[in-house]
Amino acid sequence: MDSLTQIVLGAAVGEAVLGKKVGNKAPLYGAIAGTIPDLDVLVRYVTDTVTAIEWHRGFSHSIVFSILLAPLLGWLVWKLERKQEASWKDWSWLFFWGLFTHPVLDAFTTWGTQLFWPFDVRLAFQSVFVIDPLYTIPFLICLVLAMLQKRTAPKRKKYNTLGIIMSSAYLVLTLVLKGISYRQFTKSLERQGIAYQQIDTRPTPMNSILWTANIDTGDAYLIGNYSFFDSGEIQFIRYPKNHEWLGDLRTHQKVKRLINITENWYTVTKRDDQLFLNDLRFGLLSLDSEETRFVFSYELQKTNGGVMILETPKYDTDAKRLLSALWIRIWGN
């Protein structure tokens, strides 16, 4: 999830663990713990694109990381906050839950997380977009109300608990909505007589009302959108796989690793004789039926005896145009 959401979650967890003993320092240190796993993004500055993607939400988003780091951070804060009632064990417990709940929440997103590292298992329920105001805003309001109370006030615990219950209930609700949307997609494919091998569904940005699906038909992918306000049939747009365009590059180690990252949900396109590998799991840059640019696209540049992989840049104008189109599409077809 985005940084603000993880800060709110970490702060709420910190408050639940230690708020009664240390007051507002509990959500402060909880918020710090909630942001630490995402420091893995710094790897991009010291390594290549593919390795940086592989590291993202890997070791730092695992149970092992939480168990190893929590006692160390707990000891450091215990030394800094000697005047507080909390013990080393108390602070370690706060940091463990702050670190651990971060990847648990990330497991609900499309990218997922390697919670059980070093085992090569990535949990990705794909029921929540990385930024979802319906999850974050009520949670944030409850947290602020809690922090405005005295540390021993009964209302402080009630507000914080309410925020945790509401946010957790929303995550469960998104799993239900995912199941309903999946059923709508499969029923539409059946009505239209479309044979397929595999289907992958996820919410569109910033909401849990409009859902999108990637459908593997063998030589191509279909992409369709479904809103709970829809009254018409789902329209599917076809995108050829073009995997054969990779040629010898398909056996190159870096390209194989990139394909593995996409979980084989990828297409290959050409622009000005340059090859691009597109990760379908995160959708297109717009809802236009003529759109061919994907949110995550990688340019494959041949070099002497190898290949250089570069992520294509995204611009603020693309995001604004997409969000504007999504707002209109949410209200039905």
Side-chain angles (χ1 to χ4, degrees), residues 289-326:
S289 60
E290 300 299 320
E291 182 63 81
T292 58
R293 295 175 306 148
F294 288 83
V295 173
F296 284 97
S297 183
Y298 304 92
E299 183 178 356
L300 309 181
Q301 294 183 354
K302 289 186 177 181
T303 60
N304 292 330
V307 60
M308 181 180 293
I309 298 177
L310 302 173
E311 183 179 340
T312 56
K314 293 174 280 293
Y315 304 100
D316 290 342
T317 52
D318 294 324
K320 291 177 181 178
R321 187 170 62 252
L322 176 58
L323 290 176
S324 177
L326 285 171

Short mmCIF file of all heavy atoms in Angstrom, two decimals, residues 289-326:
data_model
loop_
_atom_site.label_atom_id
_atom_site.label_comp_id
_atom_site.label_asym_id
_atom_site.label_seq_id
_atom_site.Cartn_x
_atom_site.Cartn_y
_atom_site.Cartn_z
N SER A 289 -10.12 2.48 -25.76
CA SER A 289 -10.05 1.17 -26.43
C SER A 289 -8.86 1.08 -27.39
O SER A 289 -8.46 -0.02 -27.78
CB SER A 289 -11.35 0.90 -27.19
OG SER A 289 -11.57 1.90 -28.17
N GLU A 290 -8.29 2.22 -27.76
CA GLU A 290 -7.14 2.24 -28.66
C GLU A 290 -5.81 2.31 -27.91
O GLU A 290 -4.74 2.32 -28.51
CB GLU A 290 -7.24 3.45 -29.61
CG GLU A 290 -8.48 3.46 -30.49
CD GLU A 290 -8.55 2.25 -31.39
OE1 GLU A 290 -7.49 1.86 -31.93
OE2 GLU A 290 -9.66 1.71 -31.56
N GLU A 291 -5.87 2.35 -26.58
CA GLU A 291 -4.65 2.48 -25.78
C GLU A 291 -3.79 1.22 -25.88
O GLU A 291 -4.29 0.10 -25.84
CB GLU A 291 -5.02 2.72 -24.30
CG GLU A 291 -3.82 2.91 -23.39
CD GLU A 291 -3.00 4.14 -23.73
OE1 GLU A 291 -3.38 5.24 -23.32
OE2 GLU A 291 -1.96 3.96 -24.42
N THR A 292 -2.50 1.41 -26.04
CA THR A 292 -1.57 0.28 -26.12
C THR A 292 -0.46 0.38 -25.08
O THR A 292 0.34 -0.54 -24.95
CB THR A 292 -0.92 0.20 -27.52
OG1 THR A 292 -0.23 1.44 -27.80
CG2 THR A 292 -1.97 -0.05 -28.60
N ARG A 293 -0.42 1.49 -24.34
CA ARG A 293 0.64 1.67 -23.34
C ARG A 293 0.17 1.14 -21.99
O ARG A 293 -0.93 1.44 -21.55
CB ARG A 293 1.00 3.15 -23.23
CG ARG A 293 1.62 3.75 -24.49
CD ARG A 293 1.82 5.25 -24.31
NE ARG A 293 0.55 5.89 -23.94
CZ ARG A 293 0.47 6.96 -23.15
NH1 ARG A 293 1.55 7.50 -22.65
NH2 ARG A 293 -0.72 7.49 -22.88
N PHE A 294 1.05 0.39 -21.35
CA PHE A 294 0.73 -0.19 -20.06
C PHE A 294 1.44 0.56 -18.93
O PHE A 294 2.46 1.21 -19.16
CB PHE A 294 1.12 -1.67 -20.03
CG PHE A 294 0.21 -2.54 -20.86
CD1 PHE A 294 0.41 -2.66 -22.23
CD2 PHE A 294 -0.85 -3.22 -20.28
CE1 PHE A 294 -0.44 -3.44 -23.00
CE2 PHE A 294 -1.69 -4.01 -21.04
CZ PHE A 294 -1.49 -4.12 -22.41
N VAL A 295 0.89 0.47 -17.73
CA VAL A 295 1.45 1.17 -16.58
C VAL A 295 2.90 0.76 -16.36
O VAL A 295 3.77 1.59 -16.12
CB VAL A 295 0.61 0.89 -15.31
CG1 VAL A 295 1.29 1.48 -14.08
CG2 VAL A 295 -0.79 1.48 -15.48
N PHE A 296 3.16 -0.55 -16.44
CA PHE A 296 4.54 -1.04 -16.30
C PHE A 296 4.97 -1.66 -17.63
O PHE A 296 4.49 -2.73 -18.02
CB PHE A 296 4.65 -2.05 -15.16
CG PHE A 296 4.62 -1.41 -13.80
CD1 PHE A 296 3.45 -1.33 -13.08
CD2 PHE A 296 5.78 -0.85 -13.27
CE1 PHE A 296 3.42 -0.72 -11.83
CE2 PHE A 296 5.76 -0.24 -12.02
CZ PHE A 296 4.58 -0.17 -11.30
N SER A 297 5.88 -0.96 -18.28
CA SER A 297 6.41 -1.39 -19.56
C SER A 297 7.92 -1.26 -19.53
O SER A 297 8.46 -0.29 -18.97
CB SER A 297 5.82 -0.53 -20.69
OG SER A 297 6.25 -0.97 -21.96
N TYR A 298 8.61 -2.22 -20.14
CA TYR A 298 10.07 -2.27 -20.05
C TYR A 298 10.69 -2.33 -21.44
O TYR A 298 10.37 -3.22 -22.24
CB TYR A 298 10.52 -3.46 -19.21
CG TYR A 298 9.91 -3.46 -17.82
CD1 TYR A 298 8.71 -4.12 -17.58
CD2 TYR A 298 10.52 -2.77 -16.78
CE1 TYR A 298 8.12 -4.10 -16.31
CE2 TYR A 298 9.95 -2.75 -15.52
CZ TYR A 298 8.75 -3.42 -15.29
OH TYR A 298 8.17 -3.38 -14.04
N GLU A 299 11.57 -1.39 -21.71
CA GLU A 299 12.26 -1.37 -22.99
C GLU A 299 13.43 -2.35 -22.94
O GLU A 299 14.21 -2.37 -21.99
CB GLU A 299 12.78 0.04 -23.28
CG GLU A 299 13.46 0.16 -24.64
CD GLU A 299 13.93 1.58 -24.92
OE1 GLU A 299 13.66 2.47 -24.10
OE2 GLU A 299 14.56 1.78 -25.98
N LEU A 300 13.53 -3.18 -23.98
CA LEU A 300 14.59 -4.18 -24.07
C LEU A 300 15.62 -3.70 -25.09
O LEU A 300 15.36 -3.72 -26.30
CB LEU A 300 14.03 -5.54 -24.48
CG LEU A 300 12.83 -6.06 -23.67
CD1 LEU A 300 12.39 -7.42 -24.18
CD2 LEU A 300 13.15 -6.13 -22.19
N GLN A 301 16.76 -3.27 -24.62
CA GLN A 301 17.80 -2.76 -25.50
C GLN A 301 18.92 -3.79 -25.62
O GLN A 301 19.56 -4.15 -24.62
CB GLN A 301 18.37 -1.45 -24.96
CG GLN A 301 17.39 -0.30 -24.94
CD GLN A 301 18.04 0.99 -24.46
OE1 GLN A 301 19.20 1.00 -24.03
NE2 GLN A 301 17.30 2.08 -24.51
N LYS A 302 19.15 -4.26 -26.85
CA LYS A 302 20.23 -5.21 -27.07
C LYS A 302 21.58 -4.52 -26.96
O LYS A 302 21.78 -3.42 -27.46
CB LYS A 302 20.10 -5.85 -28.46
CG LYS A 302 18.93 -6.82 -28.59
CD LYS A 302 18.95 -7.51 -29.94
CE LYS A 302 17.83 -8.53 -30.06
NZ LYS A 302 17.84 -9.23 -31.36
N THR A 303 22.49 -5.19 -26.26
CA THR A 303 23.87 -4.69 -26.14
C THR A 303 24.82 -5.78 -26.63
O THR A 303 24.37 -6.87 -27.00
CB THR A 303 24.19 -4.34 -24.67
OG1 THR A 303 24.04 -5.53 -23.87
CG2 THR A 303 23.25 -3.26 -24.15
N ASN A 304 26.09 -5.51 -26.62
CA ASN A 304 27.06 -6.51 -27.06
C ASN A 304 27.03 -7.71 -26.12
O ASN A 304 27.54 -7.65 -25.00
CB ASN A 304 28.48 -5.91 -27.08
CG ASN A 304 28.61 -4.86 -28.17
OD1 ASN A 304 27.94 -4.93 -29.19
ND2 ASN A 304 29.47 -3.88 -27.93
N GLY A 305 26.42 -8.77 -26.59
CA GLY A 305 26.36 -10.00 -25.81
C GLY A 305 25.34 -10.00 -24.70
O GLY A 305 25.34 -10.91 -23.86
N GLY A 306 24.47 -9.00 -24.65
CA GLY A 306 23.50 -8.97 -23.55
C GLY A 306 22.29 -8.12 -23.88
O GLY A 306 21.97 -7.85 -25.04
N VAL A 307 21.61 -7.69 -22.83
CA VAL A 307 20.42 -6.86 -22.99
C VAL A 307 20.30 -5.92 -21.80
O VAL A 307 20.59 -6.30 -20.66
CB VAL A 307 19.14 -7.73 -23.12
CG1 VAL A 307 18.94 -8.60 -21.88
CG2 VAL A 307 17.92 -6.87 -23.36
N MET A 308 19.91 -4.70 -22.08
CA MET A 308 19.65 -3.74 -21.03
C MET A 308 18.14 -3.55 -20.92
O MET A 308 17.46 -3.38 -21.93
CB MET A 308 20.33 -2.39 -21.33
CG MET A 308 20.12 -1.34 -20.24
SD MET A 308 20.94 0.23 -20.65
CE MET A 308 22.66 -0.29 -20.57
N ILE A 309 17.61 -3.60 -19.69
CA ILE A 309 16.18 -3.47 -19.47
C ILE A 309 15.90 -2.17 -18.72
O ILE A 309 16.43 -1.95 -17.62
CB ILE A 309 15.63 -4.67 -18.68
CG1 ILE A 309 15.85 -5.95 -19.49
CG2 ILE A 309 14.16 -4.48 -18.34
CD1 ILE A 309 15.42 -7.22 -18.77
N LEU A 310 15.09 -1.31 -19.31
CA LEU A 310 14.78 -0.01 -18.72
C LEU A 310 13.28 0.16 -18.57
O LEU A 310 12.53 -0.09 -19.52
CB LEU A 310 15.33 1.12 -19.60
CG LEU A 310 16.84 1.12 -19.88
CD1 LEU A 310 17.17 2.19 -20.89
CD2 LEU A 310 17.63 1.34 -18.60
N GLU A 311 12.83 0.56 -17.39
CA GLU A 311 11.40 0.82 -17.19
C GLU A 311 11.03 2.13 -17.86
O GLU A 311 11.71 3.15 -17.67
CB GLU A 311 11.08 0.89 -15.70
CG GLU A 311 9.60 1.09 -15.41
CD GLU A 311 9.29 1.12 -13.93
OE1 GLU A 311 10.11 0.62 -13.13
OE2 GLU A 311 8.22 1.66 -13.56
N THR A 312 9.98 2.14 -18.65
CA THR A 312 9.55 3.36 -19.32
C THR A 312 8.92 4.30 -18.30
O THR A 312 8.18 3.87 -17.40
CB THR A 312 8.54 3.06 -20.45
OG1 THR A 312 7.43 2.34 -19.91
CG2 THR A 312 9.18 2.21 -21.53
N PRO A 313 9.19 5.59 -18.42
CA PRO A 313 8.70 6.55 -17.42
C PRO A 313 7.19 6.76 -17.51
O PRO A 313 6.58 6.58 -18.56
CB PRO A 313 9.46 7.82 -17.76
CG PRO A 313 9.79 7.69 -19.22
CD PRO A 313 10.02 6.24 -19.46
N LYS A 314 6.61 7.15 -16.36
CA LYS A 314 5.19 7.52 -16.30
C LYS A 314 5.11 9.00 -15.92
O LYS A 314 5.97 9.52 -15.21
CB LYS A 314 4.46 6.66 -15.27
CG LYS A 314 4.38 5.18 -15.68
CD LYS A 314 3.78 4.32 -14.58
CE LYS A 314 4.80 3.99 -13.51
NZ LYS A 314 5.88 3.11 -13.98
N TYR A 315 4.07 9.67 -16.40
CA TYR A 315 3.95 11.11 -16.18
C TYR A 315 2.66 11.45 -15.43
O TYR A 315 1.68 10.71 -15.48
CB TYR A 315 3.98 11.83 -17.53
CG TYR A 315 5.22 11.51 -18.33
CD1 TYR A 315 5.17 10.57 -19.37
CD2 TYR A 315 6.44 12.13 -18.06
CE1 TYR A 315 6.31 10.25 -20.10
CE2 TYR A 315 7.58 11.81 -18.79
CZ TYR A 315 7.51 10.89 -19.81
OH TYR A 315 8.63 10.57 -20.52
N ASP A 316 2.69 12.59 -14.75
CA ASP A 316 1.52 13.03 -13.98
C ASP A 316 0.29 13.20 -14.87
O ASP A 316 -0.83 12.94 -14.44
CB ASP A 316 1.82 14.36 -13.28
CG ASP A 316 2.84 14.19 -12.15
OD1 ASP A 316 3.03 13.04 -11.70
OD2 ASP A 316 3.43 15.20 -11.73
N THR A 317 0.51 13.62 -16.11
CA THR A 317 -0.62 13.82 -17.01
C THR A 317 -1.32 12.50 -17.31
O THR A 317 -2.55 12.46 -17.47
CB THR A 317 -0.15 14.46 -18.34
OG1 THR A 317 0.94 13.69 -18.87
CG2 THR A 317 0.30 15.89 -18.11
N ASP A 318 -0.55 11.41 -17.38
CA ASP A 318 -1.15 10.08 -17.60
C ASP A 318 -2.05 9.70 -16.44
O ASP A 318 -3.17 9.20 -16.63
CB ASP A 318 -0.05 9.02 -17.77
CG ASP A 318 0.78 9.23 -19.02
OD1 ASP A 318 0.20 9.65 -20.04
OD2 ASP A 318 1.99 8.96 -18.99
N ALA A 319 -1.57 9.94 -15.22
CA ALA A 319 -2.35 9.59 -14.03
C ALA A 319 -3.63 10.41 -13.95
O ALA A 319 -4.70 9.87 -13.64
CB ALA A 319 -1.50 9.80 -12.78
N LYS A 320 -3.54 11.69 -14.22
CA LYS A 320 -4.73 12.56 -14.15
C LYS A 320 -5.77 12.14 -15.17
O LYS A 320 -6.97 12.10 -14.88
CB LYS A 320 -4.31 14.01 -14.38
CG LYS A 320 -3.49 14.60 -13.24
CD LYS A 320 -3.05 16.02 -13.56
CE LYS A 320 -2.20 16.59 -12.42
NZ LYS A 320 -1.71 17.96 -12.74
N ARG A 321 -5.32 11.82 -16.38
CA ARG A 321 -6.25 11.40 -17.44
C ARG A 321 -6.92 10.07 -17.08
O ARG A 321 -8.12 9.89 -17.28
CB ARG A 321 -5.51 11.30 -18.77
CG ARG A 321 -6.43 11.02 -19.96
CD ARG A 321 -5.71 11.16 -21.28
NE ARG A 321 -4.63 10.19 -21.42
CZ ARG A 321 -3.34 10.51 -21.37
NH1 ARG A 321 -2.97 11.76 -21.15
NH2 ARG A 321 -2.42 9.58 -21.52
N LEU A 322 -6.13 9.15 -16.52
CA LEU A 322 -6.67 7.85 -16.15
C LEU A 322 -7.69 7.98 -15.02
O LEU A 322 -8.78 7.39 -15.08
CB LEU A 322 -5.54 6.92 -15.72
CG LEU A 322 -5.97 5.54 -15.21
CD1 LEU A 322 -6.77 4.79 -16.27
CD2 LEU A 322 -4.75 4.72 -14.78
N LEU A 323 -7.37 8.76 -14.00
CA LEU A 323 -8.29 8.92 -12.87
C LEU A 323 -9.58 9.59 -13.29
O LEU A 323 -10.67 9.25 -12.80
CB LEU A 323 -7.61 9.72 -11.75
CG LEU A 323 -6.47 9.01 -11.02
CD1 LEU A 323 -5.82 9.95 -10.01
CD2 LEU A 323 -6.98 7.76 -10.32
N SER A 324 -9.49 10.54 -14.21
CA SER A 324 -10.69 11.20 -14.72
C SER A 324 -11.58 10.21 -15.46
O SER A 324 -12.81 10.19 -15.28
CB SER A 324 -10.28 12.34 -15.66
OG SER A 324 -11.42 12.96 -16.23
N ALA A 325 -10.97 9.36 -16.27
CA ALA A 325 -11.73 8.35 -17.02
C ALA A 325 -12.33 7.30 -16.07
O ALA A 325 -13.46 6.85 -16.27
CB ALA A 325 -10.83 7.68 -18.05
N LEU A 326 -11.58 6.93 -15.05
CA LEU A 326 -12.07 5.95 -14.08
C LEU A 326 -13.29 6.48 -13.34
O LEU A 326 -14.26 5.74 -13.11
CB LEU A 326 -10.97 5.61 -13.07
CG LEU A 326 -9.84 4.71 -13.56
CD1 LEU A 326 -8.73 4.65 -12.51
CD2 LEU A 326 -10.34 3.31 -13.86
#
